[in-house]
Amino acid sequence: MAAFAAAPCAAHAPPSRRTAAAAGLLMLAALAGGCEVGERPLPYGNAPPAQRLSGQRLLAQYQCGSCHAIPGVAAIRQSTRGPVLAAFGRRSYIVGQVPNRPDTLARWITEPAALVPGTPMPAMGVSPADARDMAAYLLALE
Ligand code: HEC
């Protein structure tokens, strides 16, 4: 049960953790990566409901879903150019490189190349306030 719950987490972890997972240390890898397992609460999933709702609307408004599959967010045309953002609240890292927290995720959304130079994710002209709301919604996805 714990190993099953940890699997999606380990799949997104950096290679060293992936190796540990392959060695049958799924639970250990999940804990080392700050991954939550089972019924434990999301580390940053408790933003006020109004902020999360605002983020959900903004994600649709900016059409982030044109590149990402995001639970609860519709897109006019969906492509798979970007990674699936399901269960993003349980991710330890943004694109496997940047610790996934409210401040770093909001920064990523406003200016992805500032965190990961050369990333194919475009800057979408999102204001810092809007990005914080979007991050609140994404971090509540489990
Ligand atoms: C043109 C396509 C495109 C659009 C539009 C887009 N993204 Fe992305 N996004 C990407 C790509 C490609 C990546 C992977 C970047 C990398 O690997 O460096 C990414 C990565 C991400 C990640 C990290 C995913 C992971 O697996 O760690 C998040 C979060 C994210 N985008 C959020 C957003 C939000 C929020 C918006 C809307 C404001 C948005 N994206 C709009 C293409 C897009």
Side-chain angles (χ1 to χ4, degrees):
M1 171 60 196
F4 175 76
C9 232
H12 296 293
S16 60
R17 294 211 176 79
R18 220 175 275 161
T19 309
L25 299 172
L26 271 173
M27 188 68 185
L28 204 62
L31 292 174
C35 251
E36 298 289 344
V37 294
E39 300 301 312
R40 294 174 64 190
L42 296 172
Y44 305 107
N46 59 352
Q51 186 182 21
R52 283 185 265 146
L53 187 63
S54 162
Q56 186 178 20
R57 291 197 181 118
L58 288 163
L59 287 162
Q61 191 181 312
Y62 279 89
Q63 285 294 298
C64 306
S66 64
C67 287
H68 296 283
I70 312 173
V73 176
I76 295 165
R77 179 132 52 103
Q78 186 129 44
S79 84
T80 49
R81 272 190 286 176
V84 171
L85 300 185
F88 204 76
R90 296 204 180 275
R91 294 277 192 92
S92 299
Y93 293 92
I94 303 163
V95 296
Q97 299 189 47
V98 180
N100 188 19
R101 300 188 310 251
D103 58 333
T104 51
L105 185 55
R107 178 101 170 98
W108 168 263
I109 293 168
T110 53
E111 215 182 339
L115 291 183
V116 180
T119 178
M121 157 103 175
M124 305 271 294
V126 181
S127 73
D130 285 356
R132 278 196 293 275
D133 289 359
M134 292 184 198
Y137 180 77
L138 293 173
L139 289 169
L141 291 175
E142 56 182 326

